[in-house]
Amino acid sequence: MTDTKQKVREFYDEIGWMQENDGNYQNARYEDLRPVSREYIHKTRLRVMNGLIPTGRFILDAGSGPVQYEEYKTYSAGYEKRVCLDISIQALREARTRIGDHGLFVVGDLANLPFKKDAFDGAVSMHAIHHLALPEHPKAYAEIHRVLAPSRTAAIVNGWHNPLLIRMAEPLIGLMRKLSGRSEKKKKEWLNEEDPAGTFVQKMTPEWFKKEIGSKMTVEIKPWRSMSTRIMRWFVRPFGGRTFLKFVFWLEGIFPTFFAENGQYPLIVVRKS
């Protein structure tokens, strides 16, 4: 195991997948859990089903974490077993408490899956591959593709590096912060969203992805969620916020290519021919 992977494991074993006083995992701090955002967040999580064949025998959850949110359970509802693979033992302990006998639990590396070729009828991976160094991303995608059965699909959610919509929003956030008199909060090291200590993150661009991964397998880039948590917390206010998010969700459906490649989080569908 590389030093980077060991740090990721230690972070999630000791911090990320520990429950806090509010009943949520520490990792939930990266999500917008406010009531005003609840409907939009719910609908985007269910978008993963747009990339999966809904029934089969085994589905792989690559980098499963604790199967953190209720919507995540729906991905395997039509499968006999959900095989949860994660580098964190704490994640798998929590996943076992959440899905019980429906799950099989394996400690493993996303870039070196310990499974036979064509072993799975589906696969899902939520915000996990970006914890690998960029040179290992193609290997992780290749491994997920390898273990998929022919004609089956995988649904993968990760974040783009500095996408257009985020670049457009940041100057507005700076102006709003200045007008409101709010200074930048000093976060604990492990709460830095871009590169937290112990949770190494390296994201890709659409251009890099198409060249390094899309040229080697059949993929489709769909919108999952165009706004980052930071953007939502600044721009989605209690008054009118639900209506605004309904409009955003509608736009993501009307212009899927634009929002998939220029928003924060794409849904990448891998199909094995």
Side-chain angles (χ1 to χ4, degrees):
M1 186 185 299
T2 65
D3 184 57
T4 295
K5 292 176 183 177
Q6 181 62 33
K7 286 182 179 179
V8 171
R9 168 185 272 181
E10 289 172 358
F11 175 83
Y12 280 108
D13 279 348
E14 298 170 10
I15 299 174
W17 297 135
M18 301 301 291
Q19 288 196 355
E20 300 193 320
N21 292 335
D22 61 3
N24 292 313
Y25 295 104
Q26 180 278 338
N27 194 59
R29 299 185 188 193
Y30 300 112
E31 182 64 286
D32 185 355
L33 300 179
R34 296 174 301 158
V36 68
S37 305
R38 189 170 296 149
E39 181 183 1
Y40 174 72
I41 297 294
H42 171 72
K43 291 192 295 185
T44 59
R45 289 174 185 160
L46 293 181
R47 274 180 169 154
V48 169
M49 295 303 298
N50 296 336
L52 289 173
I53 296 171
T55 59
R57 188 180 182 194
F58 293 112
I59 184 171
L60 171 65
D61 191 341
S64 68
V67 191
Q68 187 172 5
Y69 299 110
E70 288 301 306
E71 295 91 344
Y72 288 12
K73 296 179 183 179
T74 65
Y75 309 155
S76 59
Y79 287 77
E80 293 179 25
K81 290 287 184 180
R82 183 183 192 129
V83 180
C84 296
L85 175 134
D86 204 283
I87 200 171
S88 164
I89 296 173
Q90 177 64 19
L92 297 176
R93 289 194 186 108
E94 293 294 318
R96 186 186 294 276
T97 67
R98 290 180 60 78
I99 65 173
D101 291 341
H102 181 56
L104 300 170
F105 307 94
V106 180
V107 177
D109 181 351
L110 276 170
N112 298 278
L113 296 178
F115 307 114
K116 296 190 297 185
K117 179 181 178 183
D118 304 340
F120 294 94
D121 293 318
V124 65
S125 183
M126 302 295 291
H127 308 287
I129 293 177
H130 63 209
H131 288 306
L132 297 171
L134 196 61
E136 285 200 282
H137 287 211
K139 190 172 182 183
Y141 281 90
E143 281 288 273
I144 291 172
H145 183 271
R146 178 182 65 81
V147 302
L148 271 180
S151 301
R152 308 299 288 196
T153 62
I156 299 167
V157 172
N158 271 310
W160 295 128
H161 171 71
N162 201 23
L164 174 64
L165 293 182
I166 306 307
R167 297 199 306 271
M168 292 172 62
E170 283 299 330
L172 294 176
I173 290 178
L175 178 61
M176 292 167 67
R177 188 183 293 279
K178 185 175 181 180
L179 292 175
S180 65
R182 293 173 60 182
S183 59
E184 286 280 358
K185 291 182 180 179
K186 187 175 182 181
K187 299 179 180 180
K188 295 179 182 179
E189 276 192 273
W190 47 263
L191 280 178
N192 186 304
E193 291 182 10
E194 292 304 318
D195 189 15
T199 48
F200 174 87
V201 170
Q202 203 162 37
K203 298 176 181 177
M204 57 191 174
T205 64
E207 295 74 23
W208 185 92
F209 176 81
K210 291 174 185 178
K211 178 182 177 182
E212 300 295 332
I213 297 169
S215 63
K216 298 176 176 64
M217 63 187 72
T218 302
V219 299
E220 182 180 3
I221 305 174
K222 296 184 176 186
W224 184 71
R225 189 186 300 167
S226 58
M227 293 188 294
S228 69
T229 298
R230 172 178 166 83
I231 300 303
M232 291 181 65
R233 287 173 179 166
W234 272 99
F235 290 101
V236 178
R237 313 316 302 171
F239 180 76
R242 288 185 178 88
T243 301
F244 172 68
L245 288 173
K246 286 181 180 179
F247 179 63
V248 169
F249 189 84
W250 176 79
L251 283 177
E252 291 166 345
I254 295 296
F255 304 104
T257 300
F258 175 82
F259 284 97
E261 297 189 12
N262 295 288
Q264 181 64 78
Y265 300 107
L267 169 62
I268 295 167
V269 181
V270 175
R271 184 177 300 276
K272 189 167 184 178
S273 58

